[in-house]
Amino acid sequence: MSSSYDIKIVFEVIPKLLSYLPMTLLLTALPLFLGLALGAVIMAMRESKHKALRAFAQFYIFSMRATPPLIQIFLIYYGLPVILLQFGININGWSKVVFAILSLTFNSAAYLAEILRSSFSAVDKGQFEAAASIGMTPFSTYARIIIPQAFKVFLPGFCNYAIMLLKDTSMASLIGVVDLMGGTSNYMSATYGLHRLENLTSAAIIYWIVSKALEIITNYITNRLGDSHKTNGWEREAFKCRH
C-alpha cells in the first residue's frame, strides 16, 4: 500500500473505471422502472378496500424498508434457488446480475409505492369535483388533471430514490457482479492493492457526477413542469362553472 496520496492517479484511473459504469446504470435503471411498475401494484393493494390486500401491502412495504438491502441481496441470491428447487425449478445457472436486479427491484417497489401514494394524496380532492363540473370523465380526469399534478410531486422523490438506488447497486459486487464498485475492487486486486485510496476516490467521483447529473435533470424537468401547468385551461373553465 502506498504511503502517499497521488491525485494524478485518481484522474488516470477514472477513464479505466468508466468501462464498468454501464453495468451500474443497468442495475439502477431496470430495478427503478420495474420497481415502479411493481410499486404501483403495491400502492393499489395498499389503498384497496380488501383487508387482506391492504395487510399484505403493508407487510411487504414494512419488511422491505425494515431490512438492509444487502441482506435482501443475499437472501435472493442464496435463498431463491433453494426455494424454487423445491418446486422442481432450477435457477442455479442464472446470471448473478439477474439476482441483483430482482433484489433491487423488490426493494425499490416498497419505497416507490410509498412515494406514489404520497404523491396522489397530495392532489386536492376538489379537483375531481371541478373536473366533473365541466363534464370530464374519470379517465380524462386522471389523465389530464390528477396524474400530471401528482407527477410534479412524485418526480423529486423519485429522483432522490434513484440516487439512493445508484449507490445501493455497489452492494451487488458482494455477490460477484462486476459493476463500478466490483470493477474498482478487481482493478485494485490486479494492481496488487497499490493506491487503494486513489482508486476508491476515482469511483466516488464517478458516483458523484452521475448523482449530480440526475439532480440537474430532475430540477430542469420540475421547473419546466411548473411553468407548463400554471393556470391550465380546465382550471379556468372549472372556476367559471363553480362560480
Side-chain angles (χ1 to χ4, degrees):
M1 181 175 178
S2 176
S3 59
S4 62
Y5 187 85
D6 191 345
I7 190 65
K8 292 181 181 179
I9 293 178
V10 173
F11 295 101
E12 290 175 358
V13 172
I14 287 177
K16 299 175 182 178
L17 296 185
L18 284 174
S19 62
Y20 303 108
L21 182 59
M23 178 57 70
T24 291
L25 295 179
L26 177 68
L27 292 175
T28 304
L30 275 182
L32 192 62
F33 291 101
L34 291 175
L36 180 59
L38 181 57
V41 175
I42 298 297
M43 181 199 70
M45 295 172 66
R46 178 74 171 76
E47 298 296 307
S48 174
K49 296 180 180 179
H50 299 283
K51 292 183 179 180
L53 293 179
R54 287 203 311 272
F56 173 81
Q58 291 170 349
F59 175 78
Y60 179 89
I61 292 171
F62 179 79
S63 298
M64 291 294 106
R65 297 176 67 179
T67 54
L70 178 58
I71 292 180
Q72 295 170 16
I73 289 176
F74 283 138
L75 286 175
I76 293 295
Y77 181 63
Y78 292 111
L80 189 60
V82 174
I83 294 173
L84 292 182
L85 197 60
Q86 307 304 312
F87 299 94
I89 303 174
N90 188 347
I91 62 171
N92 287 305
W94 283 13
S95 168
K96 296 174 181 178
V97 175
V98 175
F99 291 104
I101 290 173
L102 283 175
S103 60
L104 292 172
T105 295
F106 293 148
N107 181 269
S108 298
Y111 285 91
L112 293 174
E114 287 296 275
I115 295 174
L116 281 168
R117 189 168 70 91
S118 62
S119 300
F120 279 99
S121 298
V123 179
D124 185 1
K125 303 302 180 183
Q127 304 286 355
F128 288 97
E129 297 177 9
S133 69
I134 58 174
M136 294 181 68
T137 64
F139 178 81
S140 296
T141 301
Y142 268 98
R144 297 178 58 187
I145 301 173
I146 305 301
I147 292 178
Q149 292 186 68
F151 181 73
K152 289 193 291 182
V153 180
F154 169 76
L155 186 61
F158 179 74
C159 177
N160 287 335
Y161 180 74
I163 293 173
M164 186 173 76
L165 179 60
L166 173 71
K167 295 180 291 183
D168 286 347
T169 60
S170 62
M171 292 181 287
S173 64
L174 295 177
I175 62 171
V177 176
V178 186
D179 63 334
L180 179 56
M181 192 62 226
T184 302
S185 298
N186 290 347
Y187 184 76
M188 289 190 295
S189 298
T191 55
Y192 305 101
L194 295 174
H195 305 293
R196 288 179 180 270
L197 187 55
E198 290 89 339
N199 293 334
L200 291 171
T201 302
S202 300
I205 290 173
I206 296 174
Y207 279 114
W208 187 92
I209 291 174
V210 176
S211 297
K212 190 61 179 178
L214 286 173
E215 182 183 9
I216 292 172
I217 292 171
T218 302
N219 289 338
Y220 173 78
I221 296 175
T222 301
N223 291 334
R224 290 296 301 270
L225 285 174
D227 293 337
S228 64
H229 285 86
K230 289 180 179 177
T231 319
N232 286 331
W234 73 267
E235 291 175 314
R236 293 193 296 269
E237 292 300 321
F239 182 83
K240 292 177 182 178
C241 290
R242 296 178 69 183
H243 295 79

